[in-house]
Amino acid sequence: RPEMAARLAAQVLRGRRLPEPHREALDVLLGGGRVAIHLGPAGGLLAAVATAAAALVATGEGPVAVVLPRASEAEAFCGLAAPWLAAVGMRTSVIHGALAGTSASRASHPGDRGDAQVLFASAAWVRAFAPAAGSLVVVADQNSAADDLGPLGTMYGDRIRLVAGPVPADLLRQSTSSLGLAVLGHDQASRPDLRVVDLRGRPSPRIVAGELRPRARILMLAPGPGEA
């Protein structure tokens, strides 16, 4: 199993070393376990999600639904992780309520969207349409942990294999206690407040006052080079 974890990391991350918390979580998954871990923007959350999804598909536990708090995050994660997963022969897709034509008829199986092996979806869409999935990887934050994990646990039970995100340790334990996940206790240095502001789709992309915070780092997603 350790050799498989190293091989997956090398393939998905194109030779970059998998950090210790990620490797430990991946070892738990490859051993058939279920795990929760605190990972913030500086902690390699995207890499952890991509390698976990790849591992679950590779061990026959797919298709995998990667559940994210918001539609914009489902789009962003899919856009960034898709090339990594394509490099190891895995098909990806994204779905959420903001997509034109989204309906319950498209929700029966993640493969309904282009025969995807890894589906990136918003939590609201998953809760509404309950797509069939062999495994779930759930990305949670401080706001979504209390709202999404309970209903998802009721719907999917032990198919929830990984919960990861910038959730404070106490809240992470509290939110995942009923799910029976092992919580990895890695203390990580906190990062200054990071906001993601999605300007795509706005008639006139611009920053509004409510999106700014003192001493915050802000990542802007713009429609194109000119707008950026």
Side-chain angles (χ1 to χ4, degrees):
R1 294 298 188 175
E3 294 77 12
M4 185 176 184
R7 187 168 66 252
L8 275 169
Q11 291 177 322
V12 175
L13 303 181
R14 299 179 183 179
R16 285 176 289 173
R17 181 180 175 84
L18 194 65
E20 181 58 34
H22 302 62
R23 188 162 52 251
E24 185 175 346
L26 191 57
D27 286 342
V28 172
L29 294 178
L30 290 172
R34 304 165 58 238
V35 65
I37 185 171
H38 169 91
L39 290 174
L45 178 57
L46 177 65
V49 167
T51 52
L56 291 167
V57 171
T59 54
E61 299 178 78
V64 176
V66 177
V67 184
L68 294 115
R70 285 162 283 278
S72 59
E73 291 163 336
E75 290 278 358
F77 269 64
C78 185
L80 293 168
W84 294 352
L85 295 170
V88 294
M90 294 185 185
R91 300 177 298 278
T92 59
S93 189
V94 61
I95 193 164
H96 50 75
L99 291 175
T102 298
S103 68
S105 64
R106 301 166 68 183
S108 61
H109 195 283
D112 289 348
R113 289 194 52 80
D115 195 28
Q117 294 163 298
V118 181
L119 177 74
F120 293 82
S122 65
W125 187 87
V126 172
R127 289 173 60 181
F129 297 123
S135 303
L136 263 68
V137 171
V138 181
V139 176
D141 58 26
Q142 186 166 355
N143 296 320
S144 70
D147 296 335
D148 295 333
L149 290 179
L152 290 173
T154 300
M155 295 165 65
Y156 291 98
D158 60 9
R159 283 181 288 167
I160 297 179
R161 298 296 302 279
L162 173 68
V163 174
V167 183
D170 290 345
L171 178 59
L172 185 63
R173 289 186 176 87
Q174 177 184 343
S175 302
T176 58
S177 61
S178 63
L179 303 178
L181 278 71
V183 178
L184 298 185
H186 286 276
D187 294 327
Q188 299 183 12
S190 62
R191 178 180 178 132
D193 187 16
L194 177 69
R195 294 290 310 282
V196 178
V197 179
D198 193 347
L199 302 177
R200 297 170 298 176
R202 295 190 184 183
S204 177
R206 62 186 179 187
I207 305 170
V208 298
E211 293 166 337
L212 300 178
R213 293 180 185 174
R215 297 180 298 279
R217 291 186 177 185
I218 301 178
L219 172 64
M220 298 288 183
L221 304 179
E227 291 84 351

